[in-house]
Amino acid sequence: MRMHWIMTLQWSAADGLHTKTMDGTVEPNPGATRQDIYANAYEFASKHMGAKDAAVLSFTLEPDEL
């Protein structure tokens, strides 16, 4: 089942405090846990945002189907 995640990160940089939200979908492998998806989403989002050591302000994970 495909899942949709939304994550908001906040981090400090030389030019001040940044907050940004990113989302995506994932088809978990059998046996995957919510923690696995969270860790992968955090790694993906923080790299794409350039957000080293970011704090997670929000994380949502739900089925992608309506």
Side-chain angles (χ1 to χ4, degrees):
M1 170 190 312
R2 186 169 62 191
M3 305 294 287
H4 178 247
W5 59 268
I6 304 169
M7 182 175 280
T8 301
L9 301 179
Q10 188 172 65
W11 68 98
S12 293
D15 60 345
L17 190 62
H18 297 262
T19 304
K20 188 170 182 179
T21 300
M22 183 174 247
D23 72 334
T25 59
V26 62
E27 296 225 17
N29 293 326
T33 65
R34 183 178 180 87
Q35 176 62 32
D36 295 335
I37 296 170
Y38 170 88
N40 290 336
Y42 179 84
E43 181 179 356
F44 178 82
S46 62
K47 281 184 181 177
H48 280 77
M49 293 180 195
K52 186 177 180 183
D53 300 323
V56 177
L57 300 182
S58 174
F59 175 70
T60 303
L61 179 67
E62 297 181 4
D64 194 36
E65 297 179 14
L66 295 176

